[in-house]
Amino acid sequence: MSPLLLSLHPGTTLQDEQGLLTAHHRWGRTTLGPHTPPLAEALHTLAAGPTAVDDLTERLRATARRAGLPPEPQLARLHGCLERLAHSVRRHATTGSRRLVTAEPLAPEAAPRPGPAPAPDTPLTLDRAAHLRPVDDRLVLESPRSRFRLRLEDPGTATLLALLARPASRAELAGRCGDLTEDALAAVVSLLYSTGFAHPAEAAAHTADEAGLPPGWTFHELLAYDGSRAGPRDRPYGPVFPLRATEPPAPPVAPPPAGRVIPLSRPDLDRLSREDRPFTDVLESRTSRRAYGEYPLTVEQLAEFLYRAARVRTLLGARPEDDRPYAITSRPYPSAGSAYELELYAAVHRCHGLARGLYHYDPLGHALTALPGAPEAVDRLLREAAAATGGAPPPDVHLTLVSRVKRLSWKYAAHAYALTLKNTGVLLQTLCLVATAMGLSGCPVGGGDSETPVRAFDLAPHTEIPVGAFLLGSVPTPR
């Protein structure tokens, strides 16, 4: 029996619709056109389960002859149907009765790499974006650059993948994978090549986007980008409320932590709307300022800054009848799904009217809550700020943006983290513009050690995640 088997993805059905054979699958439907009994029987065989390619061919030939039809045109039509159903055809490499690897298409555009597999003496290497992870009690091979997932049905195939970490020919692989027949090894290598997981080493050495990563990309960034787009569409994606049936949504505003509450003054927005600098002037003069004045920021300035940039303007209850089964807020900046998952934590270095220390901002009550924490926690955050800004002096206030990411992942599947990064950029820009309008020094920070704020503010790992920072202070006196 051939070591390569084919099957249609589970759930794929075939129906005669007004004389046209139509396949219904997870991506929709594909009309395959007029059909004959031998062709329909062959496709129904694939829908029933894995079938060896040569067995399927012989059975089609036999049924065609019995029906008085020339076999070759039927075979050509079968191959045409399989090309049109490439997104729903699973390929299985086997040896004897042992299934080794199954290739599963993950998107409507999934199609095997055209052309024959490389010659046996051609050294191959594994795609540098390929990675193994457990799924449903099996290791699977995935890559953000392939629209297939390879399911390792036999643990021994992991050895072959390990060998392809460096260029290896078929002969070298055979010498290290002695339990695989020549045909079985060829079937596995063919699957790796046709699904984009293995590349000829010589071509990879001369083509940046073959086995190597695209220039300017790291593995983790490539994986994160692919995971945050529709990409492999066999997974939930978008506003599908993946946690709706298992847990309630996170509250629209985080409950303030325990501690001493410091109410903040509220600015007169009517006066500001009359006296503020014009928006174009603010936008055009915005720049990152890393120098601070001789005199510190005041608590009144900090209060106005937080109120203008990040307060809760309104709080609205859930409306299940409008497919909004969670409460939302409105704030001065936009947020995906009105989730407003971002929290502001402050490490105050110097601020007239406010003691040095750590604080949490309550956007609904417009107040600060003093947090426990040693003075060294403020110092560590300030040192990171200095490192991120080229050794600039410490700001008056170091703000950490923290995401309650489950506010997003309760509604959105696959790209909640990407959305929170976009929301972070929106809030950072808002902080920049408010600082500019108020005549303060402000600077967004794009990096830092995520563990420092986790320890400083006692955040819950993977539930409250630091995603950005903003440095704020008074402006130097003109000379």
Side-chain angles (χ1 to χ4, degrees), residues 146-427:
S146 173
R147 287 298 173 255
F148 289 86
R149 175 184 295 129
L150 295 193
R151 182 181 172 91
L152 276 58
E153 310 284 2
D154 187 287
T157 51
T159 301
L160 187 149
L161 298 179
L163 295 172
L164 287 173
R166 54 174 291 276
S169 67
R170 190 93 54 84
E172 292 177 88
L173 296 174
R176 303 285 295 276
C177 302
D179 61 333
L180 295 181
T181 66
E182 183 178 341
D183 287 345
L185 178 62
V188 174
V189 170
S190 176
L191 278 189
L192 289 169
Y193 175 78
S194 65
T195 53
F197 287 98
H199 309 276
E202 183 178 354
H206 294 93
T207 309
D209 60 355
E210 272 287 340
L213 294 173
W217 285 88
T218 67
F219 163 73
H220 297 91
E221 289 172 326
L222 194 62
L223 186 62
Y225 169 74
D226 187 67
S228 65
R229 312 296 291 181
R233 296 168 206 165
D234 72 327
R235 65 188 177 202
Y237 179 84
V240 296
F241 299 97
L243 301 179
R244 188 175 189 169
T246 57
E247 57 184 270
V253 182
R260 180 171 58 90
V261 176
I262 300 134
L264 298 174
S265 59
R266 297 171 182 256
D268 182 346
L269 294 183
D270 290 335
R271 178 183 62 80
L272 291 174
S273 67
R274 295 191 304 269
E275 299 177 2
D276 251 358
R277 297 163 60 183
F279 176 73
T280 300
D281 180 40
V282 171
L283 193 63
E284 291 301 313
S285 59
R286 186 221 60 80
T287 186
S288 294
R289 300 181 184 275
R290 305 177 183 87
Y292 309 100
E294 177 184 357
Y295 298 102
L297 194 72
T298 68
V299 69
E300 290 78 17
Q301 288 174 312
L302 179 60
E304 179 181 331
F305 175 79
L306 293 172
Y307 189 87
R308 295 179 67 169
R311 78 187 186 282
V312 171
R313 296 190 296 201
T314 55
L315 176 61
L316 302 173
R319 292 182 59 88
E321 66 275 15
D322 294 336
D323 201 29
R324 196 186 76 208
Y326 57 98
I328 63 171
T329 62
S330 170
R331 308 190 193 190
Y333 60 95
S335 176
S338 296
Y340 289 103
E341 78 287 359
L342 297 176
E343 299 286 317
L344 289 177
Y345 287 81
V348 173
H349 170 51
R350 57 171 203 166
C351 182
H352 183 71
L354 192 62
R356 192 176 195 271
L358 303 176
Y359 299 86
H360 169 265
Y361 175 60
D362 172 13
L364 184 60
H366 187 53
L368 293 173
T369 301
L371 302 175
E376 292 77 14
V378 177
D379 295 335
R380 282 192 292 268
L381 287 166
L382 295 177
R383 281 197 297 271
E384 284 203 2
T389 53
D396 294 345
V397 176
H398 178 293
L399 293 172
T400 299
L401 281 63
V402 173
S403 171
R404 296 184 296 134
V405 70
K406 196 172 284 189
R407 267 293 286 178
L408 285 168
S409 61
W410 191 84
K411 177 180 181 179
Y412 296 101
H415 63 315
Y417 182 63
L419 287 176
T420 206
L421 294 183
K422 294 170 184 176
N423 290 342
T424 299
V426 169
L427 179 52

